[in-house]
Amino acid sequence: MSKAKIAFLIIALVLIIAGGTLFGVCYARGARYDDNIQFVNKTYDLTEEFNSIDLELGMSKLEIVKAETNKVEVSETDKFHHEVKVVENKLQIKTIDDTQWYEKFLIFGDKYSVKISLNKDVYDSLNVKNGTGSLTISNPFTFTNFTVENGTGGVKASNLTITSLKINSGTGSVDLSNITAGNIDINTSTGSKTIQDVHATNIKLTGSTASNRLTNVIADNELYVKSSTGSIKFDGIDAATIYMESSTGSIRGSVLTEKTFIPHSSTGSVRVPTNTTGGTCTLKTSTGSIDVTIKA
């Protein structure tokens, strides 16, 4: 064995030992911190008026509900806590992380939470940035702009009226139901998308390995769904123009009205109606199959 290879092996061994030692120290210190962590619950009564909501959260589970008074309830620690304030007609909540570097290794879970109670039905905007925390909102609210950026946390929203809805999620799933909107734009990496009872002007769903399931989804203009390896399944959808594309995933489902079907699959089977009237319904996949019908 050459001297260069021996030197390389020695350096690699030293790095492995150093990495293992570092992990052990972090784990031990982090474990002691995690075992003794003390959560506290706080309530912020909001007396100032606001029309917009801006949230920057690290891992806190977020819930937004309707109530008679405005308030924010949080579960936090002294080193991982939340700053709550109303500035220029905007409710702002931000996570403050004062943990040491070795404490960050084992700080996770769903004990950190933010619950926002709102006494109005209509708001200008809701902007949420979250890492691992989930978002749940199910009471009837109206937003002009609804924007969510999540990492691994899921998004579950229902009973909303929104002019512009945009969600960008990594591995977190997106579950929408009973939504009326102008434009809907949802992108996930591996998180699945479940869309049910949704009516919008335009709907755009994109992702890589994410699966898509649509039920009773109607777009006045365009319904656009594109996924790399994720499947696309739907029941009772419609739009003036439909475009669906998946590389290896299958495309299966039913549309409500006649369409001019334009299917293409390289190796998979294709079964679509032979209608040549109505808006275009383009269906593309490489190895997946295509099976679409017109719902009676």
Side-chain angles (χ1 to χ4, degrees):
M1 184 179 294
S2 66
K3 292 182 178 180
K5 289 183 178 180
I6 294 175
F8 177 79
L9 290 175
I10 293 174
I11 293 173
L13 182 60
V14 170
L15 291 175
I16 291 173
I17 294 174
T21 303
L22 179 62
F23 176 80
V25 172
C26 294
Y27 186 89
R29 292 189 176 185
R32 287 199 297 272
Y33 174 76
D34 195 57
D35 290 340
N36 296 283
I37 191 170
Q38 296 294 321
F39 282 86
V40 294
N41 298 320
K42 294 182 181 179
T43 299
Y44 298 85
D45 294 318
L46 305 175
T47 58
E48 305 95 328
E49 291 294 323
F50 56 89
N51 286 322
S52 299
I53 304 169
D54 196 356
L55 312 175
E56 292 186 31
L57 310 175
M59 64 182 73
S60 300
K61 180 173 61 176
L62 173 62
E63 183 182 9
I64 301 176
V65 300
K66 185 72 187 308
E68 294 183 358
T69 59
N70 292 328
K71 64 180 178 179
V72 176
E73 300 167 83
V74 301
S75 177
E76 60 188 15
T77 67
D78 59 341
K79 292 187 178 182
F80 197 90
H81 52 99
H82 304 86
E83 179 183 74
V84 180
K85 59 184 178 181
V86 176
V87 180
E88 296 181 350
N89 205 32
K90 179 184 293 185
L91 171 61
Q92 299 178 342
I93 303 177
K94 184 178 182 180
T95 294
I96 307 298
D97 186 359
D98 294 328
T99 56
Q100 298 297 319
W101 62 273
Y102 57 82
E103 296 172 332
K104 301 182 187 295
F105 282 76
L106 291 178
I107 301 177
F108 55 88
D110 58 359
K111 292 183 179 180
Y112 299 92
S113 64
V114 175
K115 182 178 180 181
I116 304 175
S117 299
L118 302 174
N119 66 356
K120 296 193 306 182
D121 296 327
V122 181
Y123 292 88
D124 290 338
S125 64
L126 172 66
N127 298 310
V128 180
K129 291 183 179 181
N130 208 342
T132 60
S134 61
L135 164 62
T136 302
I137 177 170
S138 59
N139 292 110
F141 289 108
T142 298
F143 297 97
T144 301
N145 295 296
F146 186 104
T147 304
V148 180
E149 291 185 22
N150 265 26
T152 60
V155 177
K156 189 172 184 178
S158 60
N159 304 312
L160 303 177
T161 301
I162 302 169
T163 302
S164 175
L165 185 154
K166 187 172 184 178
I167 299 176
N168 190 0
S169 180
T171 59
S173 61
V174 176
D175 187 340
L176 301 183
S177 62
N178 195 22
I179 303 288
T180 300
N183 294 322
I184 294 178
D185 187 346
I186 302 174
N187 176 265
T188 63
S189 179
T190 59
S192 62
K193 294 183 285 292
T194 303
I195 316 296
Q196 182 175 352
D197 299 328
V198 170
H199 186 184
T201 304
N202 295 288
I203 300 175
K204 183 179 181 180
L205 309 177
T206 55
S208 53
T209 59
S211 62
N212 301 269
R213 183 178 292 274
L214 292 74
T215 305
N216 189 28
V217 174
I218 298 174
D220 295 331
N221 295 332
E222 182 182 35
L223 173 59
Y224 180 98
V225 185
K226 185 175 182 179
S227 180
S228 295
T229 59
S231 62
I232 303 174
K233 297 181 180 180
F234 47 95
D235 179 25
I237 67 168
D238 210 350
T241 301
I242 298 175
Y243 182 93
M244 294 186 173
E245 180 179 350
S246 179
S247 296
T248 59
S250 61
I251 301 176
R252 300 175 182 273
S254 64
V255 298
L256 294 177
T257 60
E258 292 187 351
K259 294 288 180 289
T260 301
F261 291 94
I262 308 174
H264 174 77
S265 178
S266 298
T267 59
S269 61
V270 175
R271 291 192 301 176
V272 299
T274 57
N275 301 67
T276 58
T277 61
T280 59
C281 181
T282 303
L283 311 167
K284 292 183 178 181
T285 182
S286 296
T287 58
S289 59
I290 298 174
D291 189 352
V292 176
T293 62
I294 298 176
K295 192 169 186 177

